[in-house]
């Protein structure tokens, strides 16, 4: 049963990457849409690594899943702040 389900899930995730890339490069999407698409890409990559981990019956990929999640969260916050403010880190500090 798993010999059919895991390749089907991998194929579905591959199709979703193709759809995401099409939406990112071939349509008139805003900067916020592109940030959300990159965030979606990170979720898809986590899914692919998790399916690969199940397929190979290994727990060695859990650190990679955690690392992808941390980097995706940090990059989404940074890109959102850049879209909102124009800078990621504000250096001008007011002393009250």
């Amino acid at each position: 049963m798993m010999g059919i389900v895991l390749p089907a899930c991998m194929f579905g995730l591959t199709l979703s990457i193709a759809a995401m890339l099409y939406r990112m490069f071939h349509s008139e999407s805003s900067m916020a849409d592109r940030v959300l698409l990159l965030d979606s890409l990170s979720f898809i990559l986590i899914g692919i690594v998790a399916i690969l981990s199940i397929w190979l019956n290994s727990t060695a990929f859990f650190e990679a899943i955690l690392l992808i999640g941390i980097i995706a969260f940090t990059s989404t916050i940074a890109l959102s702040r850049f879209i909102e403010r124009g800078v990621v880190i504000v250096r001008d500090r007011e002393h009250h």
Side-chain angles (χ1 to χ4, degrees), residues 61-81:
F61 296 105
F62 291 155
E63 290 86 8
I65 291 172
L66 183 63
L67 186 63
I68 292 169
I70 291 170
I71 291 172
F73 174 75
T74 306
S75 64
T76 302
I77 296 299
L79 287 170
S80 299
R81 288 186 77 177

Side-chain angles (χ1 to χ4, degrees), residues 4-16:
I4 297 170
V5 173
L6 292 178
C9 290
M10 198 68 91
F11 180 72
L13 288 172
T14 305
L15 283 179
S16 63

Side-chain angles (χ1 to χ4, degrees), residues 83-95:
I83 289 172
E84 181 183 349
R85 299 180 184 169
V87 293
V88 177
I89 299 172
V90 178
R91 300 220 184 254
D92 185 27
R93 299 176 190 237
E94 296 181 48
H95 297 288

Side-chain angles (χ1 to χ4, degrees), residues 31-46:
M31 184 67 89
D33 290 338
R34 289 187 175 132
V35 169
L36 289 175
L37 287 170
L38 285 175
D39 197 37
S40 299
L41 176 66
S42 66
F43 294 139
I44 295 168
L45 286 176
I46 288 172

